[in-house]
Amino acid sequence: MPKQDEQIQRKVEHLFLAEKFYDDNSMADFDSVRLLHNALPELSMEDIDLSTNFLGFNSSLPIYFNAITGGSKQSERFNGELAEIAKEFNIPVSSGSMGVYFRIPDTAPTFRILRKKNPAGFVIANISGKYNLEQAKQAVDLVDANALQIHINTLQELAMPEGDREFYWLDNISKIVNNIGVPVIIKEVGFGMTSNDMERLINIGVKNIDISGFGGTNFAEIESARNHEFDLTYLDNFALSTVESLLESSKIAESSVNILASGGIKAPLDVIKSLRLGASAVGISGLALHHLQKYSLEETKLFFEHFCQELEILMAAFGAKNILEIKKAPIVFDESLVSYMKQRNIDLSS
Ligand code: FNR
């Protein structure tokens, strides 16, 4: 049997290890945030509108399928299924990193399936910060993308035995953001972001940031399982949870950046809390992949149907007819987050 290309093999291992380490519980600090219900909501469930403007696209729900995969046969199957569900729910769907396509153009169909299965939908291309403007354009063309994600994944690369050891990304990001002609999202991959990093991105023209915080898929754990030299699982200690990253984003003027949240979204209430904490939409990777790996496509669709029904129930519980209104729900933080906010100069009282 011919040996599989190393980069493609890595993608297969990521899928397998994400499932091996999958945990139904979220570690993203959502349990340390309480929203208080509205005893007098003065609304009918029929009034609830979960639609949101996602980078110009009228998305039916404030959720999107975040970057996962591409390159392998398995990837093609998962990308096809994600695109099919995204089409049915009218939500955006992202590709996994397209770096492998630049090396091995034969992998194109494993990405193109996203567009094939969802011809009129909102499809997002994905590359690493190490690629240049020309490559960014190729990635967008590959799936006729409506937007581009550029992932920044320092801790993951450091934990990867074959990972990058040079991290000069800002120049590429600046050139791409200012010239590519589609909206660009800069995203982490599950380690979160400080307001300092967000500001550096905004200063070079970035308008959309997915803070992708810690609490779900953990690449320190996944890459350490692949690394026969070091166990670098402890790198996750330096991560910011999704809630901490959203609190960080509150330091930045709302008008200067559009914040997307992901990382450890396991339940409808995690989505609602993320919206309350400033996200305009919420990304899901691990949860969707887990369902597709463990159950059938039909069962996964049913799971997300229930997920969306619960979102509506929660909106009513908090007296919110739409996404703007959920941002006004009264909120209470546990001591650990109060201490975090104090030390990081975060003031949510206004
Ligand atoms: C990812 N993620 C990811 N992100 C990215 O920008 N490019 C990529 O190629 C990948 N690849 C990838 C593979 C697998 C198997 C998983 C599960 C995830 C990261 C993903 O988009 C997200 O940022 C994190 O997974 C955190 O969200 P969840 O998984 O906790 O919902």
Side-chain angles (χ1 to χ4, degrees):
M1 210 163 83
K3 201 168 171 293
Q4 170 124 287
D5 174 79
E6 222 174 70
Q7 200 176 3
I8 296 178
Q9 180 58 27
R10 179 168 80 228
K11 308 265 173 191
V12 176
E13 288 173 18
H14 283 167
L15 295 171
F16 169 78
L17 291 168
E19 181 60 18
K20 180 173 152 100
F21 294 128
Y22 183 80
D23 185 344
D24 270 330
N25 300 306
S26 175
M27 307 277 282
D29 279 338
F30 290 115
D31 287 347
S32 300
V33 177
R34 274 178 72 200
L35 301 186
L36 306 182
H37 88 106
N38 186 331
L40 293 163
E42 291 293 308
L43 58 76
S44 150
M45 291 284 290
E46 283 189 0
D47 302 333
I48 292 171
D49 176 11
L50 281 167
S51 68
T52 192
N53 183 319
F54 186 99
L55 306 177
F57 171 70
N58 189 12
S59 179
S60 298
L61 297 159
I63 58 177
Y64 56 98
F65 289 136
N66 218 348
I68 299 177
T69 199
S72 71
K73 269 281 152 228
Q74 293 90 328
S75 311
E76 187 165 347
R77 176 198 142 197
F78 292 128
N79 277 342
E81 293 185 347
L82 287 168
E84 204 175 314
I85 308 174
K87 182 180 174 201
E88 203 165 309
F89 287 75
N90 188 40
I91 59 172
V93 58
S94 297
S95 159
S97 180
M98 292 165 162
V100 66
Y101 163 72
F102 302 139
R103 271 191 51 245
I104 311 175
D106 280 356
T107 56
T110 69
F111 298 101
R112 282 210 183 106
I113 189 133
L114 284 159
R115 178 54 77 201
K116 204 165 135 193
K117 291 268 179 182
N118 192 7
F122 196 92
V123 175
I124 307 170
N126 184 296
I127 56 170
S128 138
K130 73 179 174 191
Y131 293 112
N132 61 29
L133 177 61
E134 202 38 55
Q135 290 164 313
K137 283 182 181 158
Q138 283 177 37
V140 168
D141 288 347
L142 178 58
V143 290
D144 191 16
N146 305 84
L148 172 72
Q149 284 180 329
I150 302 178
H151 64 261
I152 51 176
N153 62 337
T154 309
L155 292 184
Q156 181 190 5
E157 293 291 344
L158 288 171
M160 235 190 256
E162 73 283 37
D164 289 336
R165 293 295 178 257
E166 287 190 17
F167 304 97
Y168 300 109
W169 294 334
L170 283 173
D171 193 38
N172 282 332
I173 292 175
S174 163
K175 288 194 179 112
I176 294 169
V177 164
N178 294 300
N179 294 290
I180 189 118
V182 293
V184 177
I185 302 163
I186 309 301
K187 77 178 284 287
E188 240 290 349
V189 300
F191 296 105
M193 251 186 250
T194 62
S195 59
N196 315 61
D197 289 339
M198 295 180 212
E199 266 160 17
R200 290 168 73 202
L201 290 170
I202 292 164
N203 287 341
I204 58 166
V206 170
K207 301 223 162 23
N208 307 288
I209 296 178
D210 178 345
I211 52 87
S212 204
F214 185 74
T217 304
N218 177 351
F219 275 104
E221 191 176 36
I222 289 177
E223 299 300 356
S224 289
R226 299 180 54 247
N227 195 329
H228 301 297
E229 209 174 340
F230 301 113
D231 178 357
L232 293 166
T233 318
Y234 66 91
L235 285 179
D236 65 16
N237 282 316
F238 311 135
L240 291 86
S241 70
T242 299
V243 168
E244 286 169 346
S245 305
L246 283 168
L247 291 171
E248 292 279 333
S249 77
S250 72
K251 285 208 236 176
I252 291 165
E254 229 174 278
S255 55
S256 65
V257 68
N258 172 34
I259 294 290
L260 302 164
S262 66
I265 303 298
K266 300 288 167 74
L269 188 53
D270 302 341
V271 172
I272 297 285
K273 286 179 180 174
S274 298
L275 296 170
R276 171 61 184 85
L277 286 167
S280 64
V282 180
I284 294 173
S285 294
L287 178 69
L289 180 63
H290 168 65
H291 278 267
L292 290 175
Q293 300 212 69
K294 191 157 181 209
Y295 308 106
S296 68
L297 175 60
E298 285 316 310
E299 284 166 313
T300 305
K301 280 185 191 168
L302 197 61
F303 170 82
F304 279 106
E305 248 168 58
H306 287 156
F307 193 97
C308 297
Q309 284 163 4
E310 265 185 67
L311 280 178
E312 287 184 0
I313 290 170
L314 288 171
M315 292 288 279
F318 298 116
K321 290 203 266 309
N322 53 47
I323 310 295
L324 268 183
E325 289 184 8
I326 197 63
K327 294 184 185 294
K328 296 184 201 134
I331 190 163
V332 176
F333 298 101
D334 276 5
E335 267 311 311
S336 60
L337 288 177
V338 172
S339 163
Y340 182 91
M341 286 191 265
K342 220 190 247 168
Q343 293 176 55
R344 291 289 297 158
N345 269 327
I346 295 166
D347 179 7
L348 288 188
S349 57
S350 57

Coordinates of all heavy atoms in Angstrom, one line a residue, residues 10-77:
R10 N -1.8 13.7 8.9 CA -2.0 14.5 10.1 C -3.5 14.9 10.2 O -4.1 14.8 11.3 CB -1.2 15.7 10.0 CG -1.4 16.7 11.2 CD -0.3 17.7 11.3 NE -0.6 18.8 10.4 CZ 0.3 19.4 9.6 NH1 1.5 18.9 9.5 NH2 0.0 20.4 8.8
K11 N -4.1 15.2 9.1 CA -5.6 15.6 9.1 C -6.4 14.4 9.6 O -7.4 14.6 10.3 CB -6.0 16.0 7.7 CG -5.2 17.0 7.0 CD -5.8 18.3 7.2 CE -4.9 19.4 6.7 NZ -5.2 20.7 7.0
V12 N -6.0 13.2 9.2 CA -6.8 12.0 9.6 C -6.6 11.8 11.1 O -7.6 11.6 11.8 CB -6.3 10.8 8.8 CG1 -7.0 9.5 9.2 CG2 -6.5 11.0 7.3
E13 N -5.4 12.0 11.5 CA -5.2 11.8 13.0 C -5.9 12.9 13.8 O -6.4 12.6 14.9 CB -3.6 11.9 13.3 CG -2.9 10.7 12.8 CD -1.4 10.8 12.9 OE1 -0.9 11.6 13.7 OE2 -0.7 10.0 12.2
H14 N -6.0 14.1 13.3 CA -6.8 15.1 14.0 C -8.2 14.7 14.2 O -8.8 14.9 15.3 CB -6.7 16.5 13.2 CG -5.4 17.2 13.4 ND1 -5.0 18.2 12.6 CD2 -4.4 17.0 14.3 CE1 -3.8 18.7 13.0 NE2 -3.4 17.9 14.0
L15 N -8.8 14.2 13.1 CA -10.2 13.7 13.2 C -10.4 12.6 14.3 O -11.2 12.7 15.1 CB -10.7 13.2 11.9 CG -10.8 14.2 10.7 CD1 -11.0 13.5 9.4 CD2 -11.8 15.3 11.0
F16 N -9.5 11.7 14.2 CA -9.5 10.5 15.1 C -9.3 11.0 16.6 O -10.0 10.6 17.5 CB -8.5 9.5 14.7 CG -8.2 8.4 15.6 CD1 -9.1 7.4 15.8 CD2 -7.1 8.4 16.5 CE1 -8.9 6.3 16.7 CE2 -6.9 7.4 17.4 CZ -7.8 6.4 17.5
L17 N -8.3 11.8 16.8 CA -7.9 12.2 18.1 C -9.0 13.2 18.7 O -9.2 13.2 19.9 CB -6.5 12.9 18.2 CG -5.4 11.8 17.9 CD1 -4.1 12.5 17.7 CD2 -5.3 10.8 19.1
A18 N -9.6 14.0 17.9 CA -10.6 14.9 18.3 C -11.8 14.1 18.9 O -12.3 14.4 20.0 CB -11.1 15.8 17.2
E19 N -12.1 13.0 18.3 CA -13.1 12.1 18.8 C -12.7 11.4 20.1 O -13.4 11.2 21.0 CB -13.5 11.1 17.7 CG -14.7 10.2 18.1 CD -16.0 10.9 18.5 OE1 -16.2 12.1 18.2 OE2 -16.8 10.2 19.2
K20 N -11.4 10.9 20.0 CA -10.9 10.2 21.2 C -10.9 11.0 22.5 O -11.3 10.5 23.5 CB -9.4 9.7 20.9 CG -8.7 9.0 22.0 CD -7.4 8.5 21.5 CE -6.4 8.3 22.6 NZ -6.2 7.1 23.2
F21 N -10.6 12.3 22.3 CA -10.6 13.2 23.5 C -11.9 13.9 23.7 O -12.0 14.8 24.6 CB -9.4 14.2 23.4 CG -8.1 13.5 23.4 CD1 -7.1 13.8 22.5 CD2 -7.7 12.6 24.5 CE1 -5.9 13.2 22.5 CE2 -6.5 12.0 24.5 CZ -5.5 12.3 23.5
Y22 N -12.9 13.7 22.9 CA -14.1 14.5 22.9 C -14.8 14.3 24.3 O -14.9 13.3 24.9 CB -15.1 14.0 21.9 CG -16.4 14.9 21.9 CD1 -16.4 16.1 21.3 CD2 -17.5 14.4 22.6 CE1 -17.5 16.9 21.4 CE2 -18.6 15.2 22.7 CZ -18.6 16.5 22.0 OH -19.7 17.3 22.1
D23 N -15.2 15.5 24.8 CA -15.9 15.5 26.1 C -17.2 16.3 26.0 O -17.2 17.4 25.4 CB -15.0 16.2 27.1 CG -15.5 16.2 28.6 OD1 -16.7 15.9 28.7 OD2 -14.7 16.5 29.5
D24 N -18.3 15.7 26.4 CA -19.6 16.4 26.3 C -19.6 17.6 27.1 O -20.4 18.5 26.9 CB -20.7 15.4 26.9 CG -21.3 14.6 25.8 OD1 -21.2 15.0 24.6 OD2 -21.7 13.4 26.1
N25 N -18.8 17.7 28.2 CA -18.8 18.9 29.0 C -17.9 20.0 28.4 O -16.9 19.7 27.8 CB -18.3 18.6 30.4 CG -19.1 17.5 31.1 OD1 -20.4 17.7 31.2 ND2 -18.6 16.4 31.5
S26 N -18.3 21.2 28.6 CA -17.5 22.3 28.1 C -16.6 22.8 29.3 O -17.0 22.9 30.4 CB -18.4 23.5 27.6 OG -17.6 24.6 27.3
M27 N -15.4 23.2 28.9 CA -14.4 23.7 29.9 C -14.2 25.2 29.6 O -13.2 25.8 30.0 CB -13.1 23.0 29.8 CG -13.1 21.5 29.9 SD -13.2 21.0 31.6 CE -11.5 21.2 32.0
A28 N -15.2 25.8 28.9 CA -15.0 27.2 28.4 C -15.4 28.3 29.4 O -15.5 29.4 29.0 CB -15.7 27.4 27.1
D29 N -15.7 27.9 30.6 CA -16.1 28.8 31.7 C -17.5 29.3 31.6 O -17.9 30.2 32.4 CB -15.2 30.1 31.8 CG -13.9 29.8 32.5 OD1 -13.8 28.8 33.3 OD2 -12.9 30.5 32.3
F30 N -18.3 28.6 30.8 CA -19.8 29.1 30.7 C -20.5 28.8 32.1 O -21.4 29.5 32.4 CB -20.5 28.3 29.6 CG -20.0 28.8 28.2 CD1 -19.4 27.9 27.4 CD2 -20.3 30.1 27.8 CE1 -19.0 28.4 26.1 CE2 -19.8 30.5 26.5 CZ -19.2 29.7 25.7
D31 N -20.0 27.8 32.8 CA -20.6 27.5 34.1 C -20.4 28.6 35.1 O -21.0 28.6 36.2 CB -20.0 26.1 34.7 CG -20.6 25.0 33.9 OD1 -21.5 25.2 33.1 OD2 -20.0 23.8 34.0
S32 N -19.4 29.4 34.9 CA -19.1 30.5 35.8 C -19.8 31.8 35.5 O -19.6 32.9 36.0 CB -17.6 30.8 35.8 OG -16.9 29.6 36.2
V33 N -20.7 31.7 34.5 CA -21.6 32.8 34.1 C -23.0 32.5 34.2 O -23.4 31.4 33.8 CB -21.3 33.2 32.6 CG1 -22.2 34.3 32.1 CG2 -19.8 33.4 32.3
R34 N -23.8 33.3 34.9 CA -25.2 33.1 35.0 C -25.9 34.2 34.3 O -25.6 35.4 34.5 CB -25.6 33.1 36.5 CG -25.5 31.8 37.2 CD -25.9 32.0 38.7 NE -27.3 32.2 38.9 CZ -27.8 32.7 40.0 NH1 -27.1 33.1 40.9 NH2 -29.1 32.8 40.1
L35 N -27.0 33.9 33.6 CA -27.9 34.9 33.1 C -29.2 34.8 33.9 O -29.5 33.7 34.3 CB -28.2 34.6 31.6 CG -27.1 34.6 30.6 CD1 -27.6 34.5 29.2 CD2 -26.2 35.9 30.8
L36 N -29.8 35.9 34.2 CA -31.0 35.8 35.1 C -32.2 35.9 34.2 O -32.3 36.7 33.3 CB -30.9 37.0 36.1 CG -29.6 37.1 36.9 CD1 -29.7 38.2 37.9 CD2 -29.4 35.7 37.6
H37 N -33.2 35.1 34.5 CA -34.4 35.0 33.6 C -35.3 36.2 33.8 O -35.2 37.0 34.7 CB -35.1 33.7 33.9 CG -36.1 33.8 35.0 ND1 -37.5 33.8 34.7 CD2 -36.0 33.9 36.3 CE1 -38.1 33.9 35.9 NE2 -37.3 34.0 36.9
N38 N -36.2 36.3 32.8 CA -37.2 37.4 32.8 C -38.5 36.8 33.2 O -39.1 36.0 32.4 CB -37.2 38.0 31.4 CG -38.0 39.3 31.3 OD1 -39.0 39.4 32.0 ND2 -37.6 40.1 30.4
A39 N -39.1 37.2 34.3 CA -40.3 36.7 34.8 C -41.5 37.3 34.0 O -42.6 36.7 34.1 CB -40.5 36.9 36.3
L40 N -41.3 38.4 33.3 CA -42.4 39.0 32.6 C -41.9 39.3 31.1 O -41.7 40.4 30.7 CB -42.7 40.4 33.2 CG -43.3 40.3 34.6 CD1 -43.2 41.6 35.3 CD2 -44.8 39.9 34.5
P41 N -41.7 38.2 30.3 CA -41.1 38.5 29.0 C -42.0 39.3 28.0 O -41.4 39.9 27.1 CB -40.8 37.0 28.5 CG -41.4 36.1 29.5 CD -42.0 36.8 30.6
E42 N -43.3 39.3 28.2 CA -44.2 40.0 27.3 C -43.8 39.7 25.8 O -43.5 40.6 25.0 CB -44.1 41.5 27.6 CG -44.6 42.0 28.9 CD -46.2 41.8 29.0 OE1 -46.8 42.3 28.1 OE2 -46.6 41.1 29.9
L43 N -43.8 38.5 25.5 CA -43.6 38.1 24.1 C -44.3 36.7 23.8 O -44.6 36.0 24.7 CB -42.1 38.0 23.8 CG -41.2 37.0 24.6 CD1 -41.4 35.6 24.2 CD2 -39.7 37.4 24.3
S44 N -44.5 36.5 22.6 CA -45.0 35.2 22.1 C -43.8 34.5 21.5 O -43.0 35.1 20.8 CB -46.1 35.3 21.1 OG -46.1 34.3 20.2
M45 N -43.7 33.2 21.7 CA -42.6 32.4 21.0 C -42.6 32.7 19.5 O -41.5 32.6 18.9 CB -42.8 30.9 21.3 CG -42.6 30.4 22.7 SD -40.9 30.4 23.2 CE -40.3 29.0 22.3
E46 N -43.7 33.0 19.0 CA -43.8 33.3 17.5 C -43.0 34.6 17.1 O -42.6 34.7 16.0 CB -45.2 33.5 17.1 CG -45.9 32.1 17.0 CD -47.3 32.2 16.3 OE1 -47.7 33.3 15.9 OE2 -47.9 31.1 16.2
D47 N -42.8 35.4 18.1 CA -42.1 36.7 17.8 C -40.6 36.5 17.8 O -39.8 37.4 17.4 CB -42.3 37.7 19.0 CG -43.8 38.1 19.2 OD1 -44.5 37.9 18.2 OD2 -44.2 38.4 20.3
I48 N -40.1 35.3 18.2 CA -38.6 35.2 18.3 C -38.0 35.0 17.0 O -38.4 34.2 16.2 CB -38.3 34.0 19.3 CG1 -38.7 34.4 20.7 CG2 -36.8 33.7 19.3 CD1 -38.7 33.3 21.7
D49 N -37.0 35.8 16.7 CA -36.3 35.8 15.5 C -34.8 35.7 15.8 O -34.1 36.6 16.3 CB -36.5 37.2 14.8 CG -35.7 37.3 13.5 OD1 -35.1 36.3 13.0 OD2 -35.7 38.4 12.9
L50 N -34.3 34.5 15.4 CA -32.8 34.2 15.7 C -31.9 34.6 14.5 O -30.7 34.3 14.6 CB -32.7 32.7 16.0 CG -33.1 32.3 17.4 CD1 -33.2 30.8 17.5 CD2 -32.1 32.8 18.5
S51 N -32.5 35.2 13.5 CA -31.6 35.5 12.3 C -30.6 36.6 12.7 O -30.8 37.4 13.6 CB -32.5 35.9 11.1 OG -33.1 37.1 11.4
T52 N -29.5 36.5 11.9 CA -28.5 37.5 12.2 C -27.7 37.8 10.9 O -27.7 36.9 10.0 CB -27.5 36.9 13.3 OG1 -26.6 38.0 13.7 CG2 -26.7 35.8 12.8
N53 N -27.1 39.0 10.8 CA -26.3 39.3 9.7 C -24.9 38.8 9.9 O -24.2 39.3 10.8 CB -26.4 40.8 9.5 CG -25.6 41.3 8.3 OD1 -24.5 40.8 8.0 ND2 -26.2 42.2 7.6
F54 N -24.5 37.9 9.1 CA -23.1 37.3 9.2 C -22.3 37.8 8.1 O -22.5 37.3 6.9 CB -23.2 35.8 9.2 CG -21.9 35.1 9.5 CD1 -21.6 34.6 10.8 CD2 -20.9 34.9 8.5 CE1 -20.4 34.0 11.1 CE2 -19.7 34.3 8.8 CZ -19.4 33.8 10.0
L55 N -21.5 38.8 8.3 CA -20.7 39.4 7.2 C -21.4 39.6 5.9 O -21.0 39.3 4.8 CB -19.5 38.5 6.9 CG -18.6 38.0 8.1 CD1 -17.5 37.1 7.7 CD2 -18.0 39.3 8.8
G56 N -22.7 40.2 6.1 CA -23.5 40.5 4.9 C -24.5 39.4 4.5 O -25.3 39.7 3.7
F57 N -24.3 38.2 5.1 CA -25.2 37.1 4.8 C -26.3 37.0 5.8 O -26.1 37.2 7.0 CB -24.4 35.8 4.8 CG -25.1 34.5 4.7 CD1 -25.7 34.2 3.5 CD2 -25.2 33.7 5.8 CE1 -26.4 33.0 3.4 CE2 -25.9 32.5 5.7 CZ -26.5 32.1 4.5
N58 N -27.6 36.8 5.3 CA -28.7 36.7 6.2 C -28.8 35.3 6.7 O -29.5 34.5 6.1 CB -30.0 37.2 5.4 CG -31.1 37.3 6.4 OD1 -30.9 37.3 7.6 ND2 -32.3 37.5 5.8
S59 N -28.1 35.0 7.8 CA -28.1 33.7 8.4 C -29.3 33.5 9.2 O -29.7 34.4 10.0 CB -26.8 33.6 9.2 OG -26.7 32.3 9.8
S60 N -30.0 32.3 9.1 CA -31.2 32.1 9.9 C -30.9 31.9 11.4 O -31.9 32.1 12.2 CB -31.9 30.8 9.4 OG -32.2 31.0 8.0
L61 N -29.7 31.6 11.7 CA -29.4 31.4 13.2 C -28.0 32.0 13.5 O -27.2 32.2 12.6 CB -29.2 29.9 13.4 CG -30.5 29.0 13.2 CD1 -30.1 27.6 13.0 CD2 -31.4 29.2 14.4
P62 N -27.8 32.3 14.8 CA -26.5 33.0 15.1 C -25.4 32.0 15.3 O -24.6 32.1 16.2 CB -26.8 33.7 16.4 CG -27.9 32.9 17.0 CD -28.7 32.2 15.9
I63 N -25.4 30.9 14.6 CA -24.4 29.9 14.7 C -23.8 29.5 13.3 O -24.4 29.8 12.3 CB -24.8 28.5 15.3 CG1 -26.0 27.9 14.6 CG2 -25.2 28.8 16.8 CD1 -26.5 26.6 15.1
Y64 N -22.5 29.0 13.3 CA -21.9 28.6 12.0 C -21.0 27.4 12.3 O -20.6 27.2 13.4 CB -21.1 29.7 11.4 CG -20.0 30.3 12.2 CD1 -18.7 29.9 12.1 CD2 -20.3 31.3 13.2 CE1 -17.7 30.4 13.0 CE2 -19.4 31.8 14.0 CZ -18.1 31.4 13.9 OH -17.1 31.9 14.7
F65 N -20.8 26.6 11.3 CA -19.9 25.5 11.4 C -18.5 26.0 11.2 O -18.2 26.5 10.1 CB -20.2 24.3 10.5 CG -21.5 23.6 10.9 CD1 -22.5 23.2 9.9 CD2 -21.7 23.2 12.2 CE1 -23.6 22.6 10.3 CE2 -22.9 22.6 12.6 CZ -23.8 22.2 11.6
N66 N -17.7 25.9 12.2 CA -16.3 26.4 12.1 C -15.3 25.4 11.5 O -15.7 24.3 11.3 CB -15.8 26.8 13.5 CG -15.0 28.1 13.5 OD1 -14.6 28.6 12.5 ND2 -14.8 28.6 14.7
A67 N -14.1 25.9 11.1 CA -13.2 25.1 10.4 C -12.9 23.8 11.0 O -12.7 23.7 12.3 CB -11.9 25.9 10.3
I68 N -12.8 22.8 10.2 CA -12.5 21.4 10.7 C -11.5 20.8 9.8 O -10.3 20.4 10.2 CB -13.7 20.5 10.9 CG1 -14.6 21.1 12.0 CG2 -13.2 19.1 11.4 CD1 -15.9 20.3 12.2
T69 N -11.8 20.6 8.5 CA -11.0 19.6 7.8 C -11.0 19.8 6.3 O -11.6 20.7 5.7 CB -11.5 18.2 8.1 OG1 -10.5 17.2 7.8 CG2 -12.8 17.8 7.5
G70 N -10.2 19.0 5.6 CA -10.0 19.0 4.2 C -8.7 18.2 3.9 O -7.9 18.0 4.8
G71 N -8.6 17.7 2.7 CA -7.4 17.0 2.3 C -7.5 15.5 2.1 O -7.1 14.9 1.2
S72 N -8.2 14.8 3.1 CA -8.3 13.4 3.1 C -9.7 12.9 2.6 O -10.6 13.7 2.5 CB -8.1 12.8 4.5 OG -9.2 13.1 5.3
K73 N -9.9 11.6 2.4 CA -11.2 11.1 2.0 C -12.2 11.3 3.0 O -13.3 11.7 2.8 CB -11.0 9.6 1.7 CG -10.7 9.2 0.3 CD -11.9 9.2 -0.6 CE -11.6 9.6 -2.0 NZ -12.4 10.6 -2.7
Q74 N -11.8 11.1 4.3 CA -12.7 11.3 5.4 C -13.1 12.8 5.5 O -14.3 13.1 5.8 CB -12.0 11.0 6.8 CG -11.6 9.5 7.0 CD -10.2 9.1 6.5 OE1 -9.8 9.7 5.5 NE2 -9.6 8.2 7.1
S75 N -12.2 13.7 5.2 CA -12.5 15.1 5.2 C -13.6 15.4 4.2 O -14.5 16.2 4.5 CB -11.3 15.9 4.8 OG -10.1 15.6 5.5
E76 N -13.5 14.8 3.0 CA -14.4 15.0 2.0 C -15.8 14.7 2.5 O -16.8 15.4 2.3 CB -14.1 14.2 0.7 CG -14.9 14.6 -0.5 CD -14.3 14.1 -1.8 OE1 -13.1 13.7 -1.8 OE2 -15.1 14.2 -2.8
R77 N -15.9 13.5 3.1 CA -17.2 13.1 3.7 C -17.7 14.1 4.7 O -18.9 14.6 4.6 CB -17.1 11.7 4.3 CG -18.4 11.2 5.0 CD -18.2 10.1 6.0 NE -19.2 10.4 7.1 CZ -19.1 9.8 8.3 NH1 -18.1 9.0 8.5 NH2 -19.9 10.1 9.2

